């Protein structure tokens, strides 16, 4: 999957927020850039899994 992942620093809470702009609601965070990226990949995989299940059940 080639959906873009963006990571921004959370200056208020600390750590980093990661999200996929092309996947509405696909957002996560991590204390480091590396953990935010790992969490984003998991979130993206789960987002796509649910989207496919919803499509198959429609």
């Amino acid at each position: 999957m080639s959906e873009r992942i963006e990571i921004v620093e959370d200056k208020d809470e600390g750590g980093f927020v990661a999200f996929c702009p092309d996947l509405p609601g696909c957002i996560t965070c991590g204390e480091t850039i590396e953990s935010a990226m790992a969490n984003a990949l998991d979130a993206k995989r789960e987002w796509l899994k649910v989207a496919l299940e919803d499509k198959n059940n429609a």
Side-chain angles (χ1 to χ4, degrees):
M1 298 288 137
S2 62
E3 287 78 14
R4 182 177 79 241
I5 296 173
E6 293 186 19
I7 299 177
V8 295
E9 185 176 5
D10 186 338
K11 294 179 191 262
D12 295 328
E13 299 290 323
F16 297 87
V17 176
F19 60 97
C20 301
D22 298 327
L23 306 177
C26 187
I27 185 170
T28 189
C29 61
E31 291 192 23
T32 65
I33 291 174
E34 293 80 9
S35 65
M37 177 58 84
N39 292 341
L41 292 172
D42 288 340
K44 183 173 92 168
R45 183 174 32 256
E46 290 302 313
W47 192 101
L48 293 169
K49 179 180 169 184
V50 169
L52 286 173
E53 287 173 357
D54 286 350
K55 181 179 177 183
N56 290 333
N57 291 329

